[in-house]
Amino acid sequence: MGREAVKTIDAAPDMVLAGVLVRRADEETLAFPTGVYDDPVRLLETEQPDVWLDLTTPDTVVSHVDLAFAHGVRPVVGATGYQEADLARWNDQASQTGIGGIACPNFAIGALLMMRFAKEAAKWMPRAEIIELHHDKKKDMPSGTAIRTAREMETEYEIPIHSVRLPGLVAHQEVLFGGTGETLTIRHDSLTRESFMPGVLVACRGVMQLRQMVYGLEHLLW
Amino acid sequence: MGREAVKTIDAAPDMVLAGVLVRRADEETLAFPTGVYDDPVRLLETEQPDVWLDLTTPDTVVSHVDLAFAHGVRPVVGATGYQEADLARWNDQASQTGIGGIACPNFAIGALLMMRFAKEAAKWMPRAEIIELHHDKKKDMPSGTAIRTAREMETEYEIPIHSVRLPGLVAHQEVLFGGTGETLTIRHDSLTRESFMPGVLVACRGVMQLRQMVYGLEHLLW
Amino acid sequence: MGREAVKTIDAAPDMVLAGVLVRRADEETLAFPTGVYDDPVRLLETEQPDVWLDLTTPDTVVSHVDLAFAHGVRPVVGATGYQEADLARWNDQASQTGIGGIACPNFAIGALLMMRFAKEAAKWMPRAEIIELHHDKKKDMPSGTAIRTAREMETEYEIPIHSVRLPGLVAHQEVLFGGTGETLTIRHDSLTRESFMPGVLVACRGVMQLRQMVYGLEHLLW
Amino acid sequence: MGREAVKTIDAAPDMVLAGVLVRRADEETLAFPTGVYDDPVRLLETEQPDVWLDLTTPDTVVSHVDLAFAHGVRPVVGATGYQEADLARWNDQASQTGIGGIACPNFAIGALLMMRFAKEAAKWMPRAEIIELHHDKKKDMPSGTAIRTAREMETEYEIPIHSVRLPGLVAHQEVLFGGTGETLTIRHDSLTRESFMPGVLVACRGVMQLRQMVYGLEHLLW
């Protein structure tokens, strides 16, 4: 996903790719169209970017975002692995400094629309079930998106979540609502990591206007 | 659909079934739990109902609704076959008299949610196609719902509508949106006429509060 | 389903509806186009039919089929509730007397095709899952069809069965196969009881040629 | 697809990747785990392979396959663009020389199962429609797979083919059958080119046993 973002941001007419943090430089990363760093502090201090887009891993994301705030750089957090307490601390830092930030558990606009519609439909058709389908290498179940969707729906009924894990699948979710004599289905299919790129651009642009820490790309969309 | 509505309204704790208009009285209609009429004027004058629910046919709906307004009775129009000019006249009558009315091209709440979500999704994922699927006895194509959905979506792209007609189908519509590396699908399946009954109740209740003529059940929903 | 079968058989040009067994005669059953009985023995002895089509309930089906064999009448068994031991006894009776019979856990040809294709696909794409979806009044889960489908598939992997119960659904089953970079889905949607009628006719015609007891309509189809 | 095949064949324990034909050698092709050629004759004469797997383009496939036969090498033809006359000539060459060959318009086993099941289902449920869905960069419509599927189905009814072209889609096909009160759906989703690799291996192995030219991977499968 990092590689995809490098291409996308480099191609965006209104952005400059300030630098790229890599775990280990290799042939491919050396071909990146900008400076490549393996130390986040050196990157922050040398390039002084406007935005810190973090697509790293659960073991590094928290320290990176802390560093970004410390250097006055707005974080766009795509990685997962941070806790409620981390979010609370970032909220405080953003409020005190006026440096906005955004944490996005999902960048795919179609997935965000699915969640939004599921929440709205549940008001009118409260009997529903979520089926999420992923490739068989996915470790966790149910998916984070399914859990968030169910939480948003808040009907008086419990919303079952069923997980399918099979080869050949990528990342899919279906929310099925049953009413009197009718059903409504909202389905999202994510086939490539490119699906996150329009959302990454929205986040990187939108974070420039924020004065606080925001959770969820939907705050920049509707 | 009329028979279904007779049962539904008779069972509603907050409504009284004032009378039923039938084309021809028979064993079944004589068993209806209320007075049965074959003349709309006699029904209106004898029963003096609050609401006129019209589930009749294109050849009668217009004169019925005109009669309802003339008798000061609020129309809920489920039948089709009226024209723009009829709607305009009813609008005038409602505005002048303060007697509200509602015309509902679709009573199924799931179908209305589908249209609403399709309209919203089209803002973010403007490339889309509508596939509507109906039993092979359906005469018209594309369906009225598909046409209304496409009109609502108003993207810069043309929205193709494809119609499938096969035995075994009832009434289904799928709106498929294609974005970068992802798709979003909104699908409605209507399996029995019961699916219209929750919407019929919403319309009959809601029309009591209206002071004008309204087009579309969605105005009473969200 | 019995009422549907009365209409269907009565309309079949090559069949005569010999008589109908009812639990309790009422206005509707009295209107049936043939003799109506509440005693199976009297029906069998009076009408001496070629075929006994049993669409009754778990508490009566076994004694009915025993009676049919005892009267030399070929049973077509659509009701459920019989046990392995009942089937074994009917097998014996059929073998000894040469009176054929057929027990059909499913009359819907589309459902039988689904099972057949699922069995075949599992040889090539052994990773699969079954999702069966039914209205929320259905008591048992998983459905008998899902259990039979999984049993037929016999891959080296376990086939998970997931059951969805929601209002608005009728009777649906999806078998999803995952392979390298591809998925294959076989789905059956049964919307009305009419879907069983073509299979009922196949069974009633085919049982005339049988000399043994057969389990599954597929034996008369392919 | 060529790159994918290089990896797959190189990894197959029972095959040796004899050489790779490239249009133009570059950094990536030079890293291939075998000899790289830009001249098919030099490849054929130097490496003397058992099998010629052709995944090239319409402008080169015919001359390549002719060359393969001329060098006594069994062709596995994945490229498209050959004509009926080419197939006829290859049939003759194979019959005369006993060198088998296979042309595979589709290597995806799931797609072949879909076509096979569609053909079988059409015998029992002859009313059907094919919907094929592809990314919006696909030039031709309807897809070759849809045309072949419809041709195989051969019912007394015409089978409509509808094509959907939208971004976010990859390669999908649905065959929808409508019967009395029921529908049956067979759907294939191809998400990556890896989906062709199991079929490529089947073809490369199977062609070794052929003594004639065969059209369609299904001849090696069932």
Side-chain angles (χ1 to χ4, degrees):
Chain A
M1 188 156 158
R3 269 172 297 207
E4 202 65 50
V6 164
K7 273 193 283 177
T8 301
I9 290 170
D10 190 49
D14 58 338
M15 297 191 197
V16 174
L17 186 67
V20 179
L21 181 74
V22 298
R23 211 173 279 269
R24 202 175 17 243
D26 60 18
E27 250 180 85
E28 185 185 5
T29 59
L30 286 172
F32 280 162
T34 187
V36 171
Y37 296 80
D38 58 9
D39 175 4
V41 175
R42 275 204 54 214
L43 197 170
L44 284 162
E45 293 184 349
T46 311
E47 304 290 354
Q48 301 188 10
D50 289 323
V51 175
W52 176 269
L53 170 63
D54 205 294
L55 302 171
T56 65
T57 47
D59 57 319
T60 55
V61 60
V62 173
S63 68
H64 287 172
V65 176
D66 285 339
L67 280 171
F69 271 121
H71 286 78
V73 176
R74 297 159 190 85
V76 170
V77 189
T80 55
Y82 47 85
Q83 307 296 323
E84 292 280 330
D86 299 315
L87 269 180
R89 186 176 63 257
W90 298 336
N91 274 331
D92 289 348
Q93 287 180 283
S95 305
Q96 285 157 24
T97 59
I99 297 166
I102 183 165
C104 299
N106 203 323
F107 282 114
I109 288 172
L112 296 172
L113 285 169
M114 173 187 64
M115 280 187 263
R116 180 183 172 192
F117 297 158
K119 180 180 180 175
E120 189 59 31
K123 293 181 195 163
W124 304 95
M125 300 177 78
R127 302 286 307 274
E129 171 150 353
I130 298 170
I131 298 181
E132 55 96 347
L133 310 96
H134 284 84
H135 56 88
D136 59 338
K137 301 282 177 277
K138 185 173 171 71
K139 294 282 162 43
D140 55 319
M141 55 189 269
S143 70
T145 299
I147 293 169
R148 273 196 306 281
T149 308
R151 200 176 292 152
E152 292 270 302
M153 288 167 64
E154 280 172 356
T155 79
E156 74 253 56
Y157 298 95
E158 207 202 343
I159 308 293
I161 301 177
H162 176 63
S163 299
V164 177
R165 294 289 174 272
L166 282 176
L169 293 168
V170 184
H172 320 262
Q173 183 173 305
E174 198 164 297
V175 191
L176 176 56
F177 295 87
T180 307
E182 62 175 345
T183 59
L184 179 72
T185 308
I186 303 168
R187 181 180 171 112
H188 180 249
D189 294 271
S190 181
L191 298 190
T192 66
R193 282 182 178 139
E194 285 175 48
S195 66
F196 301 128
M197 294 305 122
V200 163
L201 293 179
V202 167
C204 290
R205 283 175 190 130
V207 76
M208 297 300 292
Q209 316 306 328
L210 294 176
R211 295 283 167 268
Q212 45 181 328
M213 185 75 196
V214 150
Y215 182 75
L217 186 63
E218 57 273 27
H219 293 283
L220 295 178
L221 291 172
W222 40 75
Chain B
M1 186 157 159
R3 270 173 296 210
E4 202 65 52
V6 164
K7 273 192 282 178
T8 300
I9 290 170
D10 190 48
D14 59 338
M15 297 190 196
V16 174
L17 186 68
V20 179
L21 182 74
V22 299
R23 211 173 278 268
R24 205 176 13 246
D26 62 17
E27 248 179 86
E28 187 185 4
T29 59
L30 286 172
F32 281 162
T34 187
V36 171
Y37 296 80
D38 59 8
D39 175 4
V41 174
R42 276 205 52 216
L43 198 170
L44 284 162
E45 293 183 351
T46 310
E47 304 290 354
Q48 300 188 10
D50 288 323
V51 175
W52 177 268
L53 170 63
D54 205 295
L55 302 172
T56 65
T57 47
D59 57 320
T60 54
V61 60
V62 173
S63 67
H64 287 172
V65 176
D66 285 339
L67 280 170
F69 272 119
H71 286 78
V73 176
R74 297 160 191 84
V76 170
V77 190
T80 56
Y82 47 85
Q83 307 296 322
E84 292 279 328
D86 300 316
L87 269 179
R89 186 175 64 256
W90 299 336
N91 274 329
D92 289 348
Q93 287 180 283
S95 305
Q96 285 158 22
T97 59
I99 298 166
I102 182 165
C104 300
N106 203 323
F107 282 113
I109 289 172
L112 297 171
L113 285 168
M114 173 187 63
M115 280 188 263
R116 180 182 172 193
F117 297 157
K119 181 180 179 175
E120 189 60 31
K123 294 181 195 163
W124 304 96
M125 299 177 78
R127 301 286 307 276
E129 171 151 352
I130 297 171
I131 299 181
E132 54 95 347
L133 311 95
H134 284 84
H135 55 90
D136 58 338
K137 301 283 177 275
K138 185 173 172 70
K139 294 282 161 43
D140 54 317
M141 53 189 270
S143 70
T145 299
I147 294 169
R148 272 195 306 282
T149 308
R151 201 176 291 150
E152 292 271 301
M153 288 167 64
E154 281 173 355
T155 78
E156 74 255 55
Y157 298 95
E158 208 201 341
I159 309 294
I161 300 178
H162 176 62
S163 299
V164 177
R165 294 290 174 272
L166 282 177
L169 292 169
V170 185
H172 320 262
Q173 182 173 306
E174 198 164 298
V175 190
L176 175 57
F177 295 87
T180 307
E182 62 174 346
T183 59
L184 179 72
T185 308
I186 302 169
R187 182 180 172 112
H188 180 249
D189 294 272
S190 180
L191 299 191
T192 66
R193 281 182 178 137
E194 285 175 48
S195 66
F196 300 127
M197 293 306 119
V200 164
L201 293 178
V202 168
C204 290
R205 284 176 190 131
V207 75
M208 297 300 292
Q209 316 307 326
L210 294 175
R211 295 284 164 270
Q212 46 180 328
M213 185 76 195
V214 150
Y215 182 75
L217 187 63
E218 57 273 27
H219 293 283
L220 296 178
L221 292 173
W222 40 75
Chain C
M1 187 157 159
R3 269 172 297 209
E4 203 64 52
V6 164
K7 272 192 283 178
T8 300
I9 290 171
D10 190 49
D14 58 339
M15 297 191 198
V16 174
L17 187 68
V20 178
L21 181 75
V22 299
R23 210 173 279 270
R24 204 173 17 242
D26 62 17
E27 250 179 85
E28 187 185 3
T29 59
L30 286 172
F32 280 161
T34 187
V36 171
Y37 295 81
D38 58 7
D39 175 3
V41 174
R42 275 204 53 215
L43 198 170
L44 284 162
E45 293 184 350
T46 310
E47 305 289 354
Q48 300 187 9
D50 288 324
V51 175
W52 178 268
L53 170 63
D54 205 294
L55 302 172
T56 65
T57 47
D59 56 320
T60 54
V61 61
V62 172
S63 67
H64 287 172
V65 176
D66 285 339
L67 281 170
F69 271 119
H71 286 76
V73 176
R74 297 161 191 85
V76 169
V77 190
T80 56
Y82 48 85
Q83 306 296 321
E84 292 280 329
D86 299 315
L87 270 180
R89 187 175 62 254
W90 299 336
N91 274 330
D92 289 348
Q93 288 179 281
S95 305
Q96 286 157 22
T97 60
I99 299 166
I102 182 164
C104 300
N106 203 323
F107 282 114
I109 289 172
L112 297 172
L113 285 168
M114 173 187 64
M115 280 187 264
R116 180 183 171 191
F117 297 158
K119 181 179 179 176
E120 189 60 32
K123 293 181 196 163
W124 303 96
M125 299 177 79
R127 302 286 307 275
E129 171 151 352
I130 297 171
I131 299 181
E132 55 95 347
L133 310 95
H134 284 84
H135 55 88
D136 58 338
K137 301 282 177 276
K138 186 174 171 69
K139 294 281 162 45
D140 54 318
M141 54 190 269
S143 70
T145 298
I147 293 169
R148 272 196 305 282
T149 308
R151 201 176 292 153
E152 292 271 301
M153 288 166 65
E154 281 173 355
T155 79
E156 76 254 57
Y157 297 96
E158 206 201 343
I159 308 294
I161 300 177
H162 176 63
S163 299
V164 177
R165 294 289 174 272
L166 282 177
L169 292 169
V170 185
H172 319 262
Q173 183 172 306
E174 198 165 297
V175 191
L176 175 56
F177 295 86
T180 307
E182 62 176 345
T183 59
L184 179 71
T185 309
I186 303 169
R187 182 180 172 112
H188 180 249
D189 295 90
S190 180
L191 298 190
T192 67
R193 282 181 179 139
E194 287 176 47
S195 66
F196 300 127
M197 293 305 121
V200 164
L201 293 179
V202 168
C204 291
R205 283 177 190 129
V207 75
M208 296 300 292
Q209 317 307 328
L210 293 176
R211 295 283 164 267
Q212 47 180 327
M213 185 75 196
V214 151
Y215 182 75
L217 186 64
E218 57 273 27
H219 293 282
L220 296 178
L221 292 172
W222 40 75
Chain D
M1 187 156 157
R3 269 172 297 208
E4 203 64 52
V6 164
K7 272 192 283 176
T8 300
I9 289 170
D10 190 48
D14 59 337
M15 297 190 197
V16 174
L17 186 67
V20 179
L21 181 75
V22 298
R23 213 173 276 270
R24 201 171 23 240
D26 61 18
E27 248 180 86
E28 187 185 4
T29 58
L30 287 173
F32 281 162
T34 187
V36 171
Y37 296 80
D38 57 9
D39 175 3
V41 174
R42 276 205 52 215
L43 198 170
L44 285 161
E45 293 184 350
T46 311
E47 305 290 353
Q48 301 187 9
D50 289 323
V51 175
W52 177 268
L53 170 64
D54 204 295
L55 302 172
T56 65
T57 47
D59 56 321
T60 55
V61 61
V62 172
S63 67
H64 287 172
V65 176
D66 285 340
L67 280 171
F69 272 119
H71 286 76
V73 176
R74 298 160 191 84
V76 170
V77 189
T80 56
Y82 48 84
Q83 307 295 322
E84 291 280 328
D86 299 316
L87 269 179
R89 187 174 64 256
W90 298 336
N91 275 330
D92 289 346
Q93 287 180 283
S95 306
Q96 286 157 22
T97 58
I99 298 167
I102 183 165
C104 299
N106 203 323
F107 281 114
I109 288 172
L112 297 172
L113 285 169
M114 173 187 63
M115 280 187 264
R116 180 183 172 192
F117 296 158
K119 180 180 179 175
E120 188 59 31
K123 293 180 195 164
W124 304 95
M125 300 177 77
R127 302 285 307 276
E129 170 150 353
I130 297 170
I131 299 181
E132 56 95 347
L133 311 96
H134 285 84
H135 55 88
D136 58 339
K137 300 283 177 276
K138 184 173 171 70
K139 293 282 161 44
D140 54 319
M141 54 189 269
S143 70
T145 298
I147 293 168
R148 273 195 306 280
T149 307
R151 201 176 291 153
E152 293 270 303
M153 288 166 64
E154 281 172 356
T155 78
E156 75 253 58
Y157 297 96
E158 207 201 343
I159 308 294
I161 301 178
H162 177 63
S163 300
V164 177
R165 294 289 174 273
L166 282 176
L169 292 169
V170 184
H172 319 262
Q173 182 172 306
E174 197 165 298
V175 190
L176 176 57
F177 295 87
T180 308
E182 62 174 347
T183 59
L184 179 72
T185 308
I186 302 169
R187 183 180 171 111
H188 180 248
D189 294 271
S190 181
L191 298 190
T192 66
R193 282 182 178 137
E194 285 175 49
S195 66
F196 300 128
M197 293 305 121
V200 164
L201 292 179
V202 167
C204 290
R205 284 175 190 131
V207 75
M208 297 300 292
Q209 316 307 328
L210 294 175
R211 295 282 164 270
Q212 46 181 329
M213 185 76 195
V214 150
Y215 182 74
L217 186 62
E218 57 273 27
H219 293 282
L220 295 178
L221 291 172
W222 41 75

